């Protein structure tokens, strides 16, 4: 987009890893065999997107596209809990749509109210200290968890303006001129196509009622495919409740006004069928020109709208503009207004809940691949440098049924089992670690 308007961005966010748990033991005077006292690691910092009514562009993301939250602190002796990592809050304009891919599926969240937050990336949980692993038969646990890795996401941000009324029409139909005379907006105006290269918003007052009007880049044929400024226009009228369809009744560019009307509506239909059904009021503009006066009778007969939704105006002289605005205000009052009051609410990606204990086993060309949230998390948080780590994994594989499932699937001695980023050799139901640690 030209100027300082920026309505699309792609960012990368990385939540903080959790801190590591500690594997320590009490060292107290007169207590020769102190028990485990290692504390837990702190949670990694979350990353949030926050809808800020003070912003109206995604321009800041042209320069900065990477956001990383702080790692959680490590646990310490005497059950000392590690400090949680600081959260990161990324401010975006109200009306921003966030989109990401999780496990091959695309998920979308609409930040369409001031104050809404999206937990975009969750910080990793802190690793457990060795105090959690002591039992009556295992009194000296030499094991503690690593912190869980924080979530990483590539996120698309798309800004869709929050306006009540959208001005549609071909370039040079007079949209910018109309906005300039009905509001305090001062869009750039010149007699050539694509004068408007960025959306302009104006607040219009009719008596004690006000509404927001968006003048957005003009459409041309093929706009639904992105020709010209097509997508830049169309995404911003998706939220509007009413369209003012402005037609150059004089055909000053040599165009036929009736053909223009049908062409614009066809572009709306091809982009999003519901848009073509959005309520429209037609403004036959440039009535101050003789050519427009000569066309008015034909236009009124050709347009498939009732007379009370067709207005003859001149944005340049303001002729007929007040009557048009009265009709627009009346129509808006009849429609349900969108809920845009501030909302102190935190949203999450709408990922369906799954049983974390579920797992799958797949035969690969070089071994066996085990997948499942719980078992993969365990591997990612295992410190393989600790002597008791493999023993713990062995117990979990047996208790979860994974060992039995591998045997039922036909695993043989010497086969390799892959879980997350680790590999193990299988021998008579027991595993031997083969690869370096996860991190």
């Amino acid at each position: 987009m030209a100027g300082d308007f920026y309505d699309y961005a792609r960012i990368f966010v990385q939540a903080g890893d959790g801190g590591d748990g500690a594997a320590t033991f009490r060292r107290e005077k007169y207590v020769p065999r102190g028990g485990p006292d290692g504390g837990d690691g702190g949670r990694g910092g979350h990353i949030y997107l926050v809808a800020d009514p003070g912003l109206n562009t995604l321009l800041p993301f042209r320069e900065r596209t990477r956001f990383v939250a702080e790692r959680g602190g490590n646990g310490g002796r005497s059950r000392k809990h590690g400090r949680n990592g600081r959260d990161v809050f990324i401010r975006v304009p109200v009306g921003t749509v966030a989109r990401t891919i999780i496990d091959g599926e695309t998920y979308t969240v609409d930040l369409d109210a001031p104050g809404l937050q999206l937990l975009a990336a969750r910080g990793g949980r802190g690793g457990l200290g060795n105090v959690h692993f002591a039992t009556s038969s295992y009194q000296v646990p030499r094991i503690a968890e690593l912190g869980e890795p924080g979530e990483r996401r590539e996120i698309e941000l798309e800004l869709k303006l929050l306006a009540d009324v959208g001005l549609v029409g071909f370039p040079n139909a007079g949209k910018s001129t109309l906005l300039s005379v009905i509001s305090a907006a001062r869009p750039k105006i010149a007699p050539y196509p694509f004068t408007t290269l960025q959306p302009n918003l104006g607040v219009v007052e009719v008596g004690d009622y006000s509404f927001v009007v968006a003048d957005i880049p003009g459409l041309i044929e093929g706009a639904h495919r992105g020709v010209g400024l097509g997508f830049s226009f169309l995404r911003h009228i998706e939220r509007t409740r009413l369209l003012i369809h402005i037609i150059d009744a004089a055909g000053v560019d040599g165009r036929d006004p009736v053909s223009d009307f049908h062409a614009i509506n066809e572009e709306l239909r091809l982009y999003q069928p519901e848009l073509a059904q959005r309520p429209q009021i037609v403004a036959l503009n440039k009535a101050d020109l003789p050519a427009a006066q000569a066309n008015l009778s034909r236009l009124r007969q050709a347009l498939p709208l009732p007379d009370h939704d067709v207005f003859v105006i001149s944005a340049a002289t303001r002729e007929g503009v007040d009557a048009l605005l009265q009709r627009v205000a009346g129509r808006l009052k009849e429609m349900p207004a969108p809920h845009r009051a501030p909302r102190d609410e935190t949203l999450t990606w709408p990922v369906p809940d799954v049983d974390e204990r579920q797992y799958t086993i797949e035969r690969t060309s070089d071994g066996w691949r085990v997948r499942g949230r719980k078992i993969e998390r365990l591997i990612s948080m295992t410190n393989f440098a600790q002597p008791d780590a493999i023993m713990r994994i062995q117990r979990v594989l047996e208790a979860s049924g994974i060992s039995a499932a591998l045997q039922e699937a036909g695993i043989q001695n010497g086969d390799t089992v892959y879980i997350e980023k680790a590999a193990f050799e299988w021998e008579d139901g027991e595993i031997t670690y083969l690869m370096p640690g996860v991190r």
Side-chain angles (χ1 to χ4, degrees):
M1 299 291 284
D4 62 356
F5 189 78
Y6 200 64
D7 62 357
Y8 179 86
R10 187 187 295 268
I11 63 174
F12 174 79
V13 298
Q14 179 177 330
D17 294 342
D20 298 339
T24 58
F25 297 87
R26 293 199 305 272
R27 293 291 183 266
E28 301 175 21
K29 194 174 183 180
Y30 310 119
V31 183
R33 293 185 180 180
D37 71 346
D40 300 343
R43 170 184 62 77
H46 298 321
I47 295 185
Y48 295 90
L49 299 181
V50 184
D52 185 343
L55 300 177
N56 60 8
T57 174
L58 296 174
L59 182 65
F61 304 109
R62 185 165 63 183
E63 301 297 331
R64 184 181 181 190
T65 61
R66 184 179 179 85
F67 299 84
V68 180
E70 186 180 43
R71 187 180 188 276
N74 294 336
R77 292 183 177 277
S78 303
R79 305 188 181 219
K80 182 179 179 182
H81 197 289
R83 179 176 58 83
N84 290 339
R86 283 190 294 269
D87 298 333
V88 171
F89 296 88
I90 305 171
R91 303 198 172 275
V92 298
V94 178
T96 297
V97 175
R99 189 177 295 108
T100 196
I101 297 175
I102 302 174
D103 296 333
E105 297 292 331
T106 300
Y107 296 97
T108 300
V109 172
D110 194 348
L111 297 171
D112 60 353
L116 269 182
Q117 291 189 155
L118 166 64
L119 177 54
R122 193 182 300 272
R125 65 181 66 178
L128 298 177
N130 65 343
V131 295
H132 295 277
F133 300 102
T135 66
S136 59
S137 59
Y138 185 44
Q139 298 182 8
V140 189
R142 297 179 178 86
I143 185 172
E145 290 181 329
L146 298 174
E148 180 186 18
E151 293 178 340
R152 303 179 180 202
R153 303 252 185 270
E154 189 172 79
I155 302 175
E156 291 182 357
L157 301 176
E158 184 180 29
L159 176 57
K160 297 181 180 180
L161 296 178
L162 298 179
D164 300 295
V165 177
L167 303 181
V168 302
F170 269 84
N172 255 350
K175 300 184 302 297
S176 297
T177 301
L178 178 61
L179 184 67
S180 71
V181 301
I182 64 177
S183 74
R186 290 294 174 263
K188 179 181 176 183
I189 300 170
Y192 52 84
F194 297 124
T195 300
T196 304
L197 295 179
Q198 65 185 52
N200 293 288
L201 291 179
V203 178
V204 178
E205 296 183 354
V206 179
D208 59 356
Y209 184 76
S210 63
F211 52 90
V212 178
V213 176
D215 160 35
I216 312 169
L219 282 176
I220 62 173
E221 291 177 78
H224 69 280
R225 300 192 305 270
V227 175
L229 301 174
F231 286 145
S232 300
F233 173 95
L234 289 162
R235 75 162 62 106
H236 293 301
I237 61 174
E238 289 182 28
R239 298 184 189 274
T240 58
R241 294 187 284 157
L242 175 69
L243 302 178
I244 299 179
H245 193 149
I246 301 179
I247 296 175
D248 174 8
V252 295
D253 290 332
R255 305 186 58 86
D256 174 50
V258 175
S259 297
D260 283 357
F261 173 83
H262 292 295
I264 292 293
N265 280 293
E266 179 64 5
E267 291 303 316
L268 296 178
R269 186 189 67 79
L270 291 171
Y271 176 74
Q272 189 179 100
E274 191 274 332
L275 277 179
Q277 304 301 318
R278 194 74 47 92
Q280 284 189 24
I281 294 176
V282 170
L284 301 176
N285 193 26
K286 305 185 182 180
D288 53 308
L289 301 180
Q293 292 295 326
N295 281 332
L296 289 181
S297 177
R298 179 174 70 92
L299 290 174
R300 284 189 175 280
Q301 292 179 0
L303 296 179
L305 280 88
D307 286 345
H308 57 257
D309 280 335
V310 178
F311 290 81
V312 177
I313 72 165
S314 169
T317 67
R318 203 179 169 90
E319 175 190 347
V321 170
D322 289 339
L324 169 66
L325 296 182
Q326 289 286 349
R327 177 59 178 161
V328 170
R331 290 292 301 273
L332 289 175
K333 290 177 182 179
E334 297 170 355
M335 300 176 184
H339 183 70
R340 293 176 187 159
R343 290 169 58 190
D344 183 15
E345 182 180 352
T346 299
L347 307 176
T348 58
W349 299 108
V351 180
D353 291 332
V354 298
D355 185 350
E356 294 194 344
R357 297 169 298 179
Q358 290 183 347
Y359 59 84
T360 61
I361 295 174
E362 176 187 358
R363 186 75 166 98
T364 66
S365 60
D366 58 349
W368 303 82
R369 167 64 66 179
V370 178
R371 290 187 173 89
R373 289 191 182 180
K374 187 172 183 178
I375 188 63
E376 288 179 332
R377 182 188 301 122
L378 169 65
I379 298 301
S380 72
M381 298 177 72
T382 295
N383 184 347
F384 288 96
Q386 295 172 339
D388 294 349
I390 292 295
M391 181 176 66
R392 182 191 181 201
I393 294 173
Q394 183 77 53
R395 290 198 307 267
V396 172
L397 291 177
E398 293 172 358
S400 64
I402 293 176
S403 289
L406 282 166
Q407 291 174 322
E408 186 176 341
I411 192 169
Q412 301 294 316
N413 288 343
D415 285 355
T416 302
V417 178
Y418 298 94
I419 310 175
E420 223 260 347
K421 295 179 181 178
F424 309 89
E425 183 178 0
W426 179 273
E427 189 72 31
D428 294 331
E430 299 199 357
I431 56 172
T432 303
Y433 182 57
L434 295 178
M435 292 178 60
V438 176
R439 283 183 285 153

